[in-house]
Amino acid sequence: MIASAICALSYRRFRAACRAPLRAQAAQLRRVLARAARTDFGRRHGFAALTRIVDPVALIEAYQQRVPVRTYAAMRDELDAVHAGRWWTLCPSRPLWFAMTAGSTGNFKYVPVTAEYRREVGRSSLIFNGALEACHPTLRRLKTQFLVGSAEGGRSPAGVPQGFASGFNYQRLPWFVRRRFIVPYWVFTLTDPEDRAYAAGRILASDPRLGVLCAISPMNLINLRQALERNAERLIADIASGSLTVRGPAVVSGEWRGRADPQRARELEAVWRNGNTLPTRALFPGLRVLVCWQGGNMSYYLDALRQAFEIDRLFEFPISASEGVFAIPFRPDQAGGALAVTTHFLEFLRDDGAGPARRADQLRVGGEYRVVVTNAGGLYRYDMEDIVRVTGLLHATPVIEFVSKRERQISVSNERLTELDVTLAMREASRQCGRWYPEFLFVPCSDRRYRVMLDGASCVEGVAAGPNAGLAALTGELERQLRRTAKGYDFERDDALLEPLQLVVTERGQLRAYLARRYPPGALPNAQMKPQHLSSEFNVHTQFTPVATYAA
């Protein structure tokens, strides 16, 4: 109950700050500048003098005049210097660790995490948990579990630990938060993905107090649930003996032993033999809520998530990245959240990057913007290149929803199609046609159309036997939904500047293998299975062998 009380207080304070976002943001900026005043960057840009400006608007405008907005590419030399050991270049203190995050080139970026930055993120964690429990009060008496990535990414050239931020946070959150977790950290360092998913699920099935299960991606949650089904006999045997059977090594050594429960094992076996499935209520009787990202391309997987767990109650995971936390969800079953005005200093560019940056209190409902963050870890006016949409207000603070990464926005003509557009179109078309496909990819093509790639493994029925009426219907419905969802696409189609889309079925496993190459074998265990639904590269369809093609 200590954790619940602290989280509830943090959430009440956050909601109070949302009544005056300009004041909250100026206070946060002043704190960052004061701490960074003695860094090389802070000295060059006069941070100490900026902190003496009292008026909030004048402070922010002076900061904007002195410090340019920069992307990772523009900051890379300074960030590389910090990674090499010259932390005072940007950071107010020596980094505790470096958060590894994949860049658009496929190489890792190393984001410094200082004690000051860790406190910022910790503050947002308490607020989020307070919001979650405010919406679902019964969770205060139950356990919470996050699925996280491995923090075992080695060390920087200067000897600082590095790995995925979620793994570090899992081990370093306040004790009163960590005591509510069930799965020991070493499980998330198992090198085999099937082992990781099974082991986490097996341990969670041993504790009837599990109330909320969280992961950044709904795909991770679905994978855990399916791993228990795929390994039903192993699970039943482990429950009977109180053991955990894993087949591969973990980077961090550990072991787990539960209570032997042969009676429950017999009951599960009877259910499984009867229906060839393990009901969620039999595995996790206390599970009430699933937490994951619901915006952007993740929305496509929410129907499958509900079906896998037989649970309708969803809650958004904070809109966040290794570089910061940008929005705190506060409503059940809805994507997005209120700007995290007490966590970092946030600015917003037009989605095309043009024009001056706007403050949080200057955003308009319905507008789309790129997020720019200043945090206490050494990032100053850092362009995340993430596009968000303002959907409403919490008091005077904007509520935002993630749309897509900037590089996941493409035009064949001038339609400016986003990954959210194609995700929503496929989701609605799949619902209308009564068939869900686990992976798909929209490809811009030089013959003035988009081709939608489906894996033959997902639609094998009927393909070998000739034309498939179901896929033909899906193609027509997908064109209709895309024109309804993406107005730019609709305009270009009306003007005959785009041809109708085509649906292409690849050889069995080809698309799946193409998408899997983004997660190379031996990669650091990750808790962020991020799908790709829109290619930024033209004519990728030529890399596949078509089995069948359907025109809208």
Side-chain angles (χ1 to χ4, degrees):
M1 297 303 290
I2 294 175
S4 293
I6 294 174
C7 291
L9 177 61
S10 298
Y11 181 48
R12 288 197 298 271
R13 288 174 173 172
F14 171 72
R15 289 186 68 101
C18 287
R19 297 183 182 278
L22 174 59
R23 183 170 61 199
Q25 283 282 272
Q28 185 57 29
L29 176 60
R30 186 173 283 107
R31 281 192 290 268
V32 172
L33 296 177
R35 292 165 180 157
R38 295 186 179 181
T39 65
D40 289 350
F41 191 89
R43 293 180 192 277
R44 288 200 309 272
H45 293 85
F47 282 5
L50 290 177
T51 61
R52 293 191 287 272
I53 300 175
V54 176
D55 180 72
V57 173
L59 167 64
I60 293 171
E61 289 179 348
Y63 174 64
Q64 291 173 332
Q65 290 168 4
R66 295 192 186 198
V67 179
V69 174
R70 297 189 295 171
T71 62
Y72 169 76
M75 286 192 67
R76 180 168 183 172
D77 288 346
E78 289 163 300
L79 288 169
D80 285 349
V82 172
H83 189 236
R86 298 188 296 278
W87 55 265
W88 54 87
T89 303
L90 294 171
C91 301
S93 61
R94 186 176 189 268
L96 302 173
W97 67 81
F98 287 97
M100 296 169 59
T101 179
S104 58
T105 64
N107 298 316
F108 279 116
K109 298 184 290 185
Y110 296 92
V111 179
V113 177
T114 63
E116 296 86 354
Y117 175 65
R118 182 182 161 196
R119 284 193 290 271
E120 289 182 336
V121 174
R123 187 159 58 243
S124 66
S125 176
L126 297 178
I127 296 167
F128 166 72
N129 280 283
L132 175 62
E133 292 184 355
C135 291
H136 300 285
T138 58
L139 297 180
R140 293 169 183 155
R141 300 188 302 272
L142 299 172
K143 294 278 191 177
T144 297
Q145 184 59 52
F146 288 87
L147 304 183
V148 301
S150 171
E152 312 307 312
R155 292 184 175 270
S156 72
V160 178
Q162 57 193 29
F164 290 124
S166 59
F168 284 112
N169 292 332
Y170 190 77
Q171 301 172 82
R172 291 167 171 81
L173 285 169
W175 65 269
F176 53 81
V177 175
R178 285 185 283 113
R179 69 186 297 183
R180 302 176 74 170
F181 299 159
I182 299 170
V183 179
Y185 166 70
W186 68 266
V187 168
F188 301 112
T189 72
L190 285 163
T191 56
D192 181 73
E194 183 78 354
D195 259 358
R196 277 198 308 278
Y198 169 77
R202 160 55 189 122
I203 295 172
L204 292 174
S206 72
D207 196 329
R209 297 170 297 172
L210 174 67
V212 55
L213 184 57
C214 312
I216 290 173
S217 168
M219 298 171 68
N220 289 88
L221 296 173
I222 294 169
N223 192 45
L224 180 146
R225 186 66 182 83
Q226 292 176 342
L228 295 180
E229 296 285 349
R230 290 191 295 264
N231 296 275
E233 292 183 342
R234 177 166 40 152
L235 175 64
I236 291 167
D238 277 346
I239 289 175
S241 62
S243 59
L244 170 63
T245 305
V246 294
R247 296 164 180 167
V251 176
V252 174
S253 62
E255 60 181 24
W256 181 88
R257 187 80 190 175
R259 180 178 65 86
D261 195 345
Q263 174 63 30
R264 187 181 181 212
R266 286 192 293 271
E267 292 171 355
L268 285 174
E269 183 173 22
V271 171
W272 182 62
R273 298 288 183 194
N274 184 53
N276 201 32
T277 188
L278 296 170
T280 296
R281 285 298 172 212
L283 294 172
F284 312 120
L287 186 59
R288 299 289 183 269
V289 182
L290 299 171
V291 174
C292 63
W293 277 339
Q294 298 181 46
N297 59 8
M298 300 294 183
S299 62
Y300 180 69
Y301 299 90
L302 300 183
D303 287 349
L305 178 65
R306 292 185 179 98
Q307 182 177 0
F309 280 89
E310 305 163 279
I311 289 177
D312 287 331
R313 294 177 181 172
L314 304 183
F315 201 83
E316 173 86 306
F317 195 88
I319 299 178
S320 56
S322 298
E323 295 88 347
V325 179
F326 312 121
I328 305 293
F330 62 97
R331 306 163 300 181
D333 303 306
Q334 293 189 58
L339 284 183
V341 292
T342 61
T343 303
H344 314 299
F345 176 65
L346 301 172
E347 301 170 83
F348 301 85
L349 299 170
R350 274 176 31 184
D351 62 352
D352 59 4
R358 300 188 184 193
R359 305 186 306 266
D361 60 301
Q362 294 176 313
L363 305 186
R364 63 174 181 84
V365 175
E368 292 190 355
Y369 305 94
R370 277 164 54 178
V371 179
V372 176
V373 62
T374 293
N375 68 26
L379 300 182
Y380 310 105
R381 306 201 77 198
Y382 179 87
D383 184 356
M384 290 294 302
E385 302 185 85
D386 286 345
I387 299 173
V388 299
R389 179 182 300 133
V390 179
T391 60
L393 295 171
L394 173 61
H395 304 313
T397 293
V399 175
I400 63 169
E401 179 180 349
F402 179 78
V403 175
S404 72
K405 298 292 292 183
R406 185 181 63 83
E407 69 264 20
R408 301 278 181 89
Q409 184 182 76
I410 195 73
S411 288
V412 171
S413 179
N414 191 35
E415 67 278 10
R416 296 174 67 195
L417 201 65
T418 71
E419 192 158 37
L420 179 60
D421 293 331
V422 302
T423 297
L424 295 179
M426 178 60 97
R427 186 187 72 186
E428 294 307 312
S430 297
R431 285 174 174 173
Q432 292 296 321
C433 296
R435 180 64 192 268
W436 187 81
Y437 300 90
E439 58 274 309
F440 62 91
L441 184 67
F442 277 68
V443 177
C445 302
S446 54
D447 59 351
R448 296 191 297 116
R449 63 160 40 96
Y450 288 85
R451 286 178 171 85
V452 185
M453 316 304 292
L454 290 183
D455 196 293
S458 302
C459 42
V460 67
E461 78 290 350
V463 172
N468 183 295
L471 291 175
L474 175 67
T475 307
E477 184 64 25
L478 191 53
E479 170 77 8
R480 189 178 76 83
Q481 292 292 343
L482 189 60
R483 294 190 68 165
R484 184 183 67 84
T485 301
K487 296 306 179 186
Y489 180 84
D490 189 45
F491 293 153
E492 299 303 296
R493 287 282 289 112
D494 275 344
D495 290 342
L497 296 173
L498 285 175
E499 297 294 325
L501 62 79
Q502 290 183 350
L503 187 147
V504 179
V505 180
T506 75
E507 280 191 348
R508 187 181 181 93
Q510 270 196 336
L511 177 61
R512 197 164 291 173
Y514 172 85
L515 295 172
R517 284 197 288 272
R518 298 184 305 130
Y519 302 98
L524 195 63
N526 195 350
Q528 297 188 40
M529 298 174 68
K530 295 180 179 178
Q532 181 180 358
H533 294 158
L534 177 63
S535 173
S536 57
E537 182 181 350
F538 272 67
N539 301 322
V540 167
H541 68 287
T542 60
Q543 300 181 31
F544 302 96
T545 303
V547 173
T549 301
Y550 302 84

